[in-house]
Structure formats: structure tokens, C-alpha cells
Amino acid sequence: MSSEFKQKLPKPTLILLHGLLGDRHDWAGVNAGLEGIDCLALDLPGHGENQQIQVDSFEAFHHWLSDTLLTHGVRRYCLLGYSLGGRLALYHASRQPPGLEALWLESAHPGLPASERSARIAHDERWATRFEQELLGNVLADWYQQPVFADLTGAQRGRQIQRRLANRGPAIASMLRSSSLGHQPSLWSWLENTTLPVSYFSGQRDAKFHTLASHLAMMAPRLRHITLEGGHNLHAEQPEMIAQQLNAWYRTLG
């Protein structure tokens, strides 16, 4: 293949996966800063326009995503996933799908040791039961009191709760059960050994995930750890900075 022909190939599509309780519109700020990048933000199963879709495992999500990309005519792509979306993206990448050219993770856990998984499944089951049985506003008020959201101000917490009231509790419960961190295989070793370009965004004020990302970067020297000022939800706090990083990587493709 000539270098001239290579340059004429379209660049890979950027696929964006939001977190639990979110939807594809969460990426609007990042999208606004992208320069000539073909982008597809998806609603996860149980969310947004896909509230009626259910997957019962990480493997089922992997197949759902592969089928969705085929439906959209996407053959070459990169993935950026936040939190739950990052964990799902990581699992999908570990299955070595054809056409995947890079992975970005934002505040996403690579997996628990086996000894901690049953406790996490029980933890997520308690939340899932609440999402099924209680008023959504009441559950969200408690959900955003969790330590991972400690950097939010009261006003930010209130706005986040209002935005998430469009969800259906039972649909969220189903996705929470099937994608519990307790069911996720540990992918630390995969990240350490993969040749796929992988980058990880962490926020300086997100103590848990910034520490995790720093440890991961020591274990996986090829992984690029990008630290930004902010907390857990960097694409909401620093969309321009994330867009800049994506633009810079895409420019390296020629």
C-alpha cells in the first residue's frame, strides 16, 4: 500500500461511552472541542434512548457494542469510556476486536482481586434493589453522597441529581447488576502486556482513582497516564483539556 493511499484513509471513528446514570449527551463539551474527528457517542444499554435494551454480562455488552458499531458502519475506531463506560470499554478491548486502534480510560477501574468481588456484588445489589423499589430522586440523593463524588459542591450535586431524573430505576438496576465491578474480570495484567495504545485520564482531586492510575502506570510502562485538575468526572469539568489530548493523538495519524 503506497504512503499516498494510506494518507487518504479516513481516521478511526471516536466512540464515546458514558458512565452509570448518564447518556450520550454527557460528551457534548468534549465533542465541541474536537477538530475534524468523526465521533459517535452512544447511550449504554439501560440508558437514554436504549433504556429498553438489557445486557446480562460484560461479554453480552461486548457483543452488543460490536453489533452496534457494525450497524453504524464503523470499521476502524478508538474508544473513550468514563467510569462504567470505561470498564466496559476495557473489557471490549481485552477481547481484541478487529478495528480497535486505541483506548482511553477516564476514572475507570481495571478490576478487583478475587477476594473482594463478592462484597462488591453485594454492595451493588443493595443499590440495585433501591433503584428498583424507591423513588429515583431519593436514591440519587444518597448515590451522590458516596466518597467518589466528594469533590462535588452542594450546587453541583443538586444539578447532577436533576439531570439524572430522566433515568428509569429498574433499567439502571439491571445494568448495575450485570456490570458490577464484582463481575468484572481483573484486567490489570492485560493492561500491563497489551500493545494497544492506552491512555488513562485521572483527576488530582479524585484520590481513589488518581492513586489507582498512578499505580497502574508503574505496572504498565507503555500506558500513558494523563493527570488533569479535577475530580472523578473530568469530561464534565475539563472537556477542553480532554479534547486537546484527543486532537493531539489524532494528529499523529497524519
Side-chain angles (χ1 to χ4, degrees):
M1 184 182 295
S2 71
S3 60
E4 180 181 2
F5 182 71
K6 282 183 179 178
Q7 291 175 359
K8 291 180 180 178
L9 281 174
K11 293 180 181 180
T13 302
L14 176 62
I15 307 300
L16 302 171
L17 302 178
H18 61 79
L20 189 74
L21 296 163
D23 62 37
R24 68 187 187 279
H25 302 296
D26 291 357
W27 297 104
V30 174
N31 288 346
L34 297 177
E35 300 170 355
I37 297 174
D38 186 20
C39 182
L40 176 63
L42 297 175
D43 286 327
L44 294 180
H47 295 74
E49 294 183 356
N50 289 330
Q51 287 187 359
Q52 77 287 358
I53 296 175
Q54 296 185 7
V55 293
D56 60 6
S57 65
F58 281 85
E59 183 69 8
F61 173 83
H62 161 65
H63 290 292
W64 175 84
L65 179 57
S66 297
D67 291 344
T68 299
L69 296 180
L70 282 175
T71 299
H72 285 275
V74 174
R75 297 183 181 278
R76 297 173 59 230
Y77 62 105
C78 303
L79 272 176
L80 166 56
Y82 161 67
S83 195
L84 169 60
R87 296 194 290 109
L88 293 167
L90 174 57
Y91 180 84
H92 176 76
S94 76
R95 303 289 280 118
Q96 298 181 285
L100 179 60
E101 300 190 12
L103 174 67
W104 286 274
L105 303 173
E106 177 192 346
S107 308
H109 205 300
L112 294 172
S115 61
E116 298 178 18
R117 291 179 193 169
S118 61
R120 181 54 185 248
I121 291 169
H123 170 273
D124 289 343
E125 176 58 34
R126 288 192 292 273
W127 279 111
T129 300
R130 292 195 63 189
F131 276 114
E132 271 181 335
Q133 297 179 358
E134 299 181 28
L135 290 173
L136 183 58
N138 293 343
V139 185
L140 291 174
D142 290 340
W143 179 266
Y144 286 108
Q145 293 293 336
Q146 293 182 96
V148 73
F149 302 115
D151 67 294
L152 294 177
T153 66
Q156 289 172 328
R157 191 171 286 111
R159 286 194 296 271
Q160 194 75 328
I161 290 169
Q162 285 299 313
R163 293 183 65 226
R164 300 319 189 196
L165 287 172
N167 285 288
R168 287 178 53 247
I172 295 300
S174 175
M175 191 60 177
L176 183 54
R177 286 189 176 105
S178 62
S179 61
S180 169
L181 182 57
H183 290 308
Q184 178 181 318
S186 176
L187 293 169
W188 290 82
S189 178
W190 182 85
L191 283 166
E192 188 176 353
N193 294 297
T194 184
T195 58
L196 183 75
V198 179
S199 301
Y200 193 114
F201 292 106
S202 71
Q204 291 178 345
R205 296 199 313 272
D206 183 0
K208 176 180 177 180
F209 282 89
H210 183 61
T211 300
L212 182 152
S214 300
H215 180 53
L216 184 59
M218 287 191 291
M219 288 182 58
R222 286 191 297 270
L223 178 139
R224 211 162 54 104
H225 180 198
I226 303 164
T227 302
L228 299 179
E229 173 58 38
H232 192 65
N233 192 337
L234 291 169
H235 63 275
E237 295 183 68
Q238 297 275 14
E240 301 89 353
M241 295 300 296
I242 288 183
Q244 283 180 23
Q245 291 287 336
L246 296 169
N247 289 331
W249 189 86
Y250 268 80
R251 283 194 292 270
T252 68
L253 300 181

